[in-house]
Amino acid sequence: MSAALALARRLPLGALVVVGLFGAAAHAQGPNRLWLGRVELEGPLERVELDCGDAGATAIEAALVAGERRELVVPLPWAPPLGVEGLARHAPPLVRVAPEGGGGRARWLGVVAGEAGSQPDERWARLPVGVRVRPRPPAGAEATGGGASVGALLVVLAAQIAIAGLVRRGRARLAISALVAVGGGAAAFALAARALSHRGAPTVLIDADLPAAGPPTVLRVTAATTELGLPRREASLRVETRPEGARLEFTVDPATDRWTLRGPGEVLVFESAPSDAAGAALAPAWWRDAAGAWSGFAALERERPGELGRRPAAPPLPPGEAVEPPGWLRAGLPPGRTALLGRLAGEEAWLRATGVPAPGGQAPGEPGPERD
Amino acid sequence: VRPAAFAVALALSLAPLALERFGLLELAGAPRVGLALLPWLALAGLPRPASRELDAGAAWLAPLAALPLVALAAAVDRAAPGPAGSGAVWTAAVGLALVALLALAAARGARVFAAAWFALVCAPTALATAFSLSASGGDDALGGGAGPAVVGAWFGAWLGATPLVWAARTIAGGADDRGLGPLAPIGVAALLAAIALVEAAGARRAERAA
């Protein structure tokens, strides 16, 4: 028993904490939650729900009069384990109509199939792997530095040091340390709650990759905890949820042809974007050269708005004045390639572009110097 | 509680929030409350050399020091979307109660408590980690791998009732989805406290008789 007790005292519990911590940090990106199906509606109908079980549901706000018939393409929040390959054998959604018994009908016609790329996931799978696995942006205030404020952390640290000093010095000091603990906890809670009250607002990231040869890949990624729209349905490639596998609710308004989605946690929408989506100016901006050296800029203005083909020329800030780019924005950048990061001036959006040539360098797609 | 152990627990519990603040760690959907609690749960229950009188300072150090940090973690989690956000304050309250019970037990208990702590806290935590790592190939440490499906219902319940595994599972986001939720670790901590109190009472009786 004494050997067991000695072993128990020596077990590296700190190591368990570290293992747990990194296990939690390495979160998966999860399955695509955007799949397309067809339904046929026949009025009178006010609302149709396609129940997809634990994955969620799609509500169709269909105001159809008696005898009116429509066929719609609708989004479904499925997470088929085999992706496109298993889609044909996926269990159909449970169709419910309202008002019940009113004579209206809704019929599931099957998933959208036929042409290559008819499902968003097929178009997503064609993107370069390096772009598909990039770290996702967080929703809301985490975009400018996540978690607890420095002030709240300092309050906690000061309280803990005071408690450690007071708690062993008699019962009176023990009561004081209890007050310090409660007061410190309340102050830290209030400071953090106040600083994070605006969290969850949409974060938009223009995520671009410019290969040395071939067309650029430009994505618009939106992360939010609020309701999100899918305004450019044909450009929509992927929807993810955090936590992975969370229930997702789509709403379809056939009158305006508007799709919206909402989840209990964060929802991320990936869309293909035009190559001029990168705005006219970045402020602030950061540049990483191919050797991995970073430079910071107060602002970078392009000659042509949205041009991604080359980094605008500007003198970098002195090292002491430049601020660091947000951790989520610079995380996972491919080594050995240039990177241009920044916040799009005048917009609530960020840019992360890799493979952008330096000023004076050869832009992707440009003819190289002629050789004899 | 030795100062070095206290300093290590303080650093480990504060590190995730501090690293996240400075952009060095992305916690995404992981509950910070679980991360903040884990070192204090480990420290609070650690068996100590038996002493004749209750050291009130040692008994209260871990719960009091954990309180401000766990409150801060709960505030950050509460602002986060999803299940971690909605249950953050409740998880924090349960976790602090566990820390207090374990600290009380460790301050009162001696050899019997140490054996019980090894059987109910330390060994299941080590086994849960081993099962979790082997079930997931190392990707999901202390997460969902160590469940009844892997090791049998009674064995899984024993592992899941351990306060440390409960806290680790809150990090993995599944604490309240299985079994008795927080009731099981509270039961284990209460049992340990009861063992320690009975052991302390027996020691006092033996001392008086002598």
Side-chain angles (χ1 to χ4, degrees):
Chain A
M1 179 57 75
S2 60
L5 290 176
L7 176 66
R9 288 185 186 130
R10 287 176 191 172
L11 261 180
L13 289 166
L16 290 183
V17 173
V18 172
V19 168
L21 194 155
F22 284 101
H27 62 95
Q29 287 159 345
N32 196 347
R33 303 294 302 279
L34 178 63
W35 301 90
L36 303 181
R38 289 181 198 280
V39 286
E40 186 186 58
L41 311 179
E42 189 179 332
L45 282 174
E46 289 176 8
R47 180 183 164 91
V48 176
E49 186 180 274
L50 306 175
D51 187 346
C52 299
D54 290 342
T58 298
I60 306 168
E61 306 291 350
L64 299 188
V65 295
E68 189 178 357
R69 184 176 291 207
R70 288 192 70 170
E71 188 179 313
L72 295 176
V73 172
V74 294
L76 296 155
W78 283 336
L82 297 177
V84 177
E85 305 300 321
L87 201 57
R89 291 192 297 278
H90 199 288
L94 182 65
V95 181
R96 294 195 194 95
V97 298
E100 277 185 73
R105 286 192 309 151
R107 191 160 67 96
W108 171 248
L109 299 177
V111 294
V112 172
E115 298 169 34
S118 53
Q119 286 291 342
D121 197 57
E122 293 175 281
R123 301 195 295 274
W124 171 258
R126 288 187 204 138
L127 299 178
V129 175
V131 175
R132 282 186 276 151
V133 300
R134 284 184 176 182
R136 281 28 179 168
E142 283 187 328
T144 51
S149 63
V150 174
L153 284 168
L154 287 175
V155 166
V156 166
L157 189 62
Q160 286 181 315
I161 291 170
I163 290 163
L166 286 167
V167 81
R168 287 178 179 277
R169 297 183 184 175
R171 291 194 180 272
R173 298 282 177 92
L174 183 62
I176 295 171
S177 61
L179 286 175
V180 170
V182 173
F189 190 94
L191 280 171
R194 190 176 160 198
L196 295 167
S197 57
H198 57 293
R199 193 167 169 177
T203 300
V204 178
L205 171 69
I206 305 298
D207 206 357
D209 181 61
L210 287 76
T217 303
V218 185
L219 295 178
R220 180 186 167 88
V221 187
T222 309
T225 57
T226 53
E227 188 174 85
L228 275 177
L230 289 173
R232 297 167 56 240
R233 261 169 22 198
E234 65 288 347
S236 299
L237 299 170
R238 184 175 174 85
V239 168
E240 288 177 9
T241 59
R242 274 198 297 234
E244 186 184 318
R247 190 176 166 82
L248 197 57
E249 309 278 350
F250 280 103
T251 304
V252 175
D253 184 351
T256 58
D257 206 22
R258 179 177 156 79
W259 293 0
T260 54
L261 70 163
R262 175 185 281 276
E266 281 186 39
V267 176
L268 292 98
V269 174
F270 298 75
E271 302 165 289
S272 57
S275 56
D276 63 355
L282 296 171
W286 299 272
W287 167 257
R288 192 192 72 174
D289 64 24
W294 284 96
S295 315
F297 301 85
L300 283 177
E301 296 225 17
R302 296 189 181 84
E303 290 178 16
R304 283 179 291 170
E307 182 194 39
L308 261 175
R310 190 179 286 119
R311 197 207 90 192
L317 290 167
E321 292 180 24
V323 293
E324 293 278 305
W328 67 267
L329 192 60
R330 68 177 174 182
L333 291 171
R337 300 192 67 199
T338 60
L340 178 62
L341 311 177
R343 190 176 177 86
L344 271 59
E347 295 179 51
E348 293 293 319
W350 297 79
L351 173 72
R352 174 172 62 191
T354 52
V356 179
Q362 183 190 335
E366 278 185 4
E370 290 183 13
R371 292 182 182 174
D372 294 331
Chain B
V1 179
R2 291 182 179 173
F6 176 80
V8 168
L10 195 152
L12 283 173
S13 62
L14 201 58
L17 284 172
L19 291 175
E20 184 189 29
R21 170 68 257 173
F22 296 110
L24 299 171
L25 181 69
E26 194 201 337
L27 291 174
R32 285 91 175 157
V33 169
L35 287 167
L37 277 170
L38 210 44
W40 296 111
L41 284 168
L43 179 75
L46 214 57
R48 292 157 208 166
S51 60
R52 284 187 176 184
E53 292 187 6
L54 172 66
D55 182 353
W60 284 104
L61 179 59
L64 290 181
L67 197 154
L69 183 65
V70 173
L72 174 61
V76 178
D77 276 350
R78 198 165 147 265
S86 58
V89 175
W90 169 243
T91 307
V94 170
L96 286 171
L98 288 173
V99 173
L101 277 170
L102 288 173
L104 172 74
R108 286 283 190 175
R111 295 175 72 88
V112 179
F113 163 73
W117 177 84
F118 182 76
L120 294 173
V121 176
C122 183
T125 305
L127 283 171
T129 310
F131 279 118
S132 177
L133 289 172
S134 63
S136 65
D139 293 337
D140 186 23
L142 285 170
V150 180
V151 292
W154 68 271
F155 200 60
W158 175 54
L159 299 186
T162 303
L164 284 169
V165 173
W166 172 80
R169 280 182 172 168
T170 69
I171 299 167
D176 293 329
D177 298 338
R178 337 155 180 239
L180 295 170
L183 288 178
I186 287 175
V188 165
L191 177 63
L192 286 170
I195 289 170
L197 290 172
V198 169
E199 193 181 13
R204 274 201 304 275
R205 270 200 305 273
E207 199 172 310
R208 274 200 297 272

